[in-house]
Amino acid sequence: MHRRQLSFGVGIVIRFRLAFVLVLGIVGIGFILQCSLVSKSKKSKDPQIQIHFLSRDFEETKSIPSSLFESKDLLLLLAELSRKEDPSMRFISTTRTEEIMEVNGKSNSWSAGWVVYVNEERVDGIQMKRGVRVSPSDKIEIRYEAVERVFGRPTP
């Protein structure tokens, strides 16, 4: 009988420890999830430069972290996205101009091509080469649309 009471006592201690470890595990997982959610919401509140890619086949938005008062060169932002292949882009660069030739496999043709707009104003390759500064407050769209070309170059 004494042995039975002893094993009963050991069983309670083991169950208590198991329950304690289980509660600690649940609290720990809850803490980790809460920290994860806080860090995600913190990131989303930081100012970001948004670039929208639009075509008939796809629509994609890319966000680049930036401070509210900082402006960045649009061509450098596009080159960085191209380097990361997010989205996959191909440029043509001359001493005078820059042109986006392809985005995610959608290439320019004689009648359509990728056109850059900043705050609803078309930005040509010469302006991009000279430098176009953008900030989180700017609306940036890169659209695949009908274009007229003279000697292979799009005309404004």
Side-chain angles (χ1 to χ4, degrees), residues 97-156:
T97 188
E98 292 285 337
E99 186 178 352
I100 298 172
M101 296 300 292
E102 180 180 310
V103 176
N104 282 347
K106 182 95 171 157
S107 299
N108 289 353
S109 69
W110 282 103
S111 59
W114 292 99
V115 182
V116 178
Y117 291 88
V118 176
N119 298 324
E120 300 296 327
E121 290 186 30
R122 187 176 180 154
V123 177
D124 67 16
I126 295 170
Q127 291 171 303
M128 282 187 38
K129 190 71 168 187
R130 289 182 185 151
V132 175
R133 304 295 290 184
V134 294
S135 65
S137 62
D138 291 315
K139 180 182 177 186
I140 306 162
E141 289 186 339
I142 300 174
R143 304 180 203 152
Y144 190 78
E145 59 185 34
V147 293
E148 292 183 25
R149 294 183 182 274
V150 175
F151 301 113
R153 291 185 53 208
T155 59

Side-chain angles (χ1 to χ4, degrees), residues 13-77:
V13 170
I14 290 174
R15 286 186 189 134
F16 177 77
R17 285 184 181 171
L18 185 59
F20 182 73
V21 169
L22 185 61
V23 168
L24 276 180
I26 291 171
V27 169
I29 290 172
F31 179 75
I32 291 169
L33 289 174
Q34 183 179 6
C35 290
S36 168
L37 291 174
V38 167
S39 69
K40 283 183 183 177
S41 65
K42 216 180 217 183
K43 287 180 185 175
S44 65
K45 290 182 182 179
D46 291 341
Q48 296 183 339
I49 296 172
Q50 304 236 331
I51 301 176
H52 304 281
F53 293 88
L54 305 163
S55 78
R56 199 176 329 162
D57 300 331
F58 69 92
E59 182 175 334
E60 192 169 345
T61 300
K62 295 298 169 186
S63 299
I64 297 109
S66 175
S67 73
L68 194 57
F69 304 107
E70 179 184 17
S71 65
K72 295 185 176 188
D73 186 88
L74 178 60
L75 190 57
L76 292 177
L77 293 176

